[in-house]
Amino acid sequence: MSSQHYYNEIDPYCAAWLQNLMDAGHIPAGDIDTRSIEDVRPSDLAGHVQCHFFAGIGGWPLALALAGWPVDRPVWTGSCPCQPFSQAGKGAGFEDERHLWPAWQHHIAQCRPPVIFGEQVAGADVNPWIDLVHSDLEGMAHAFGCVAFPSASI
């Protein structure tokens, strides 16, 4: 991988969408890795200034651009799957195979990015997950802030 920007997205449709956005100049060009985050090694991330996990259709790079975040300023973003904790999911929580925070937390612990932005569905079912992320990040000496707001306010 050779770019300063790294996108991790396992869904083929979303990965193709990311490529289309890059080709059109809407998000920074970068490397799209379609492996599961569980198969990514921390060494695979070396040299990348911005890393976007669970990249979807590029919402984080667009949000960063709209906020005036420079494309060469280090940042990691991620939107861990919400299905394990969403009311629309099966309610399996931490036992759900889509609970991928431990994999992302491992990469954060190994690579020590200076700034991390994430998001998760709001609701009482997700509070234990937020507590875990909060504890893990503060345990790695990262400041942590969290705000819950309804999707209707976006």
Side-chain angles (χ1 to χ4, degrees):
M1 298 195 179
S2 60
S3 171
Q4 289 189 336
H5 298 270
Y6 172 88
Y7 301 85
N8 180 251
E9 177 54 57
I10 64 167
D11 182 273
Y13 179 84
C14 290
W17 190 275
L18 288 168
Q19 187 62 59
N20 289 337
L21 290 171
M22 286 181 210
D23 293 345
H26 296 304
I27 62 173
D31 299 313
I32 301 171
D33 186 344
T34 58
R35 296 176 294 164
S36 167
I37 191 172
E38 295 173 306
D39 296 327
V40 174
R41 296 177 314 271
S43 61
D44 296 333
L45 307 171
H48 293 99
V49 175
Q50 294 187 1
C51 295
H52 306 288
F53 297 89
F54 318 102
I57 59 169
W60 276 113
L62 178 60
L64 291 170
L66 291 171
W69 193 276
V71 296
D72 59 349
R73 184 175 178 190
V75 65
W76 279 21
T77 67
S79 299
C80 288
C82 66
Q83 297 92 334
F85 304 97
S86 169
Q87 292 177 357
K90 297 178 183 176
F94 296 112
E95 302 306 315
D96 192 311
E97 67 276 0
R98 294 168 295 186
H99 168 52
L100 295 173
W101 166 250
W104 196 28
Q105 185 271 341
H106 172 73
H107 295 314
I108 292 167
Q110 295 299 308
C111 298
R112 309 291 300 162
V115 178
I116 306 159
F117 293 117
E119 65 83 26
Q120 185 54 272
V121 65
D125 294 339
V126 79
N127 288 343
W129 182 88
I130 291 174
D131 289 344
L132 172 66
V133 172
H134 184 178
S135 175
D136 286 349
L137 287 173
E138 285 194 342
M140 292 184 277
H142 280 282
F144 180 89
C146 179
V147 143
F149 52 87
S151 58
S153 68
I154 302 298

